[in-house]
Amino acid sequence: MSSAALPAVTPAPARPAWVTDVPVLLVAVVWGASYLAAKGITTAHTVIAVLVLRFAIVLPVLAAAGLRRLAALSAPQWRGAGLLGLVLGGIFLLETYGLVHTSATNAGLIISLTMIFTPLAEAAVTRVRPPRSFLAAAGLSVAGVVLLTQGGGFTSPSGGDLLMLLAALARTVHVLAMARIKAVQDADSLSLTTVQLGSAVAVFAVLAALPGTGPSPWAVAADFGAAEWAGLAFLSVFCTLFAFFVQMWSVRRTSPSRVSLLLGTEPLWAAAAGIAIGGERLGVLGALGALLVLAGTAWGRRSAAGSP
């Protein structure tokens, strides 16, 4: 049948932008709050156990939701996703150990440097010099981190600050690996996430079984009170399941750049949660540093995207 024979269809009214923007913005909010939530239920001795519990809760749900697509993955896709999962496990270990030894505000702002590190690393790999405006934005962000970590005076950054910096670098490696492992580029996003998280949980489970790595996940779970279980549920349900499915839903209804812009507000919410709920204080230097980090990452994101 030719298109001329089709009846006229009245176009559906355009969906208001806020219908898509609000859920994505909520993801940025819960991700920002996740630093404070993770810090509240984790100690230096329970990092691995908490990671096992956090992701073991959501993994069966993800696997059940994408069972058919998981079965359709090829062997190279399984291997590629598994390798990415090992990197992802390293990221979570660095981030969570870092959180234990720094503030939620610092953690959220320092990890945002991934938005600067990734284009710089990509430029190094492709040997394409980034725009001068981007380099200036990167310098502004780094200066901001220096000031942020010196809120109480010019001292050496804490061990937690350095771990968060390493986590930002590890996130950069993860992004570049996803772009360059050909086997995973055409893989279903739900299946890819499930295999990555499964690989990361396997790493955490092996570490948890080793002597000297802290109490078992079951012992930690048994000691949790209502507040700790609420924090764990928030991390598992909202910061993982909700965030993932909203991203899948939103990228089909708006532009990736708009999603990226909204998710880029994560460090702002991390700072807000740390100050308003966690009672953290930045000081004058720290506040100036936080502003420079936010300005630098926003400017750098626009420069990398080729915006004026």
Side-chain angles (χ1 to χ4, degrees):
M1 183 185 293
S2 68
S3 59
L6 294 175
V9 177
T10 302
R15 180 186 288 108
W18 65 265
V19 173
T20 304
D21 289 352
V22 168
V24 178
L25 189 61
L26 284 176
V27 171
V29 172
V30 298
W31 276 356
S34 70
Y35 298 99
L36 188 62
K39 188 174 179 65
I41 67 172
T42 313
T43 69
H45 300 292
T46 63
V47 167
I48 295 173
V50 169
L51 287 172
V52 171
L53 293 171
R54 173 181 175 178
F55 294 108
I57 290 174
V58 301
L59 195 57
V61 179
L62 290 174
L67 188 59
R68 291 184 179 179
R69 283 172 281 186
L70 276 172
L73 291 178
S74 65
Q77 287 174 329
W78 275 93
R79 288 194 295 270
L83 179 60
L84 289 171
L86 296 180
V87 180
L88 189 64
I91 293 170
F92 281 118
L93 286 169
L94 287 168
E95 285 185 359
T96 312
Y97 274 114
L99 268 173
V100 172
H101 300 291
T102 191
S103 67
T105 301
N106 277 24
L109 290 165
I110 292 173
I111 204 68
S112 71
L113 288 178
T114 302
M115 289 183 284
I116 295 295
F117 291 158
T118 301
L120 287 176
E122 189 171 18
V125 171
T126 60
R127 297 183 180 181
V128 176
R129 183 180 177 87
R132 290 183 179 179
S133 60
F134 180 83
L135 295 177
L140 190 67
S141 297
V142 172
V145 168
V146 172
L147 290 177
L148 175 68
T149 58
Q150 310 305 318
F154 283 93
T155 58
S156 299
S158 72
D161 293 333
L162 294 176
L163 286 173
M164 295 308 299
L165 190 61
L166 289 175
L169 291 170
R171 280 195 183 192
T172 298
V173 171
H174 185 259
V175 171
L176 292 181
M178 285 187 68
R180 282 163 174 75
I181 298 178
K182 294 182 179 179
V184 304
Q185 291 177 4
D186 297 325
D188 170 69
S189 57
L190 175 58
S191 301
L192 181 61
T193 299
T194 304
V195 175
Q196 286 188 80
L197 286 181
S199 180
V201 170
V203 171
F204 304 149
V206 169
L207 291 175
L210 297 176
T213 55
S216 70
W218 329 119
V220 170
D223 288 339
F224 272 1
E228 287 79 12
W229 278 110
L232 185 66
F234 174 75
L235 291 171
S236 298
V237 175
F238 289 97
C239 300
T240 307
L241 281 179
F242 169 75
F244 174 75
F245 285 110
V246 165
Q247 286 182 86
M248 286 188 64
W249 173 82
S250 63
V251 294
R252 291 171 171 82
R253 290 164 175 80
T254 188
S255 67
S257 60
R258 192 174 184 89
V259 172
S260 175
L261 180 65
L262 291 168
L263 292 180
T265 63
E266 175 191 344
L268 177 63
W269 300 112
I275 294 169
I277 302 174
E280 297 174 356
R281 295 293 180 266
L282 287 175
V284 176
L285 286 178
L288 177 59
L291 289 174
L292 291 180
V293 170
L294 292 172
T297 52
W299 184 16
R301 190 165 57 251
R302 289 196 300 270
S303 298
S307 300

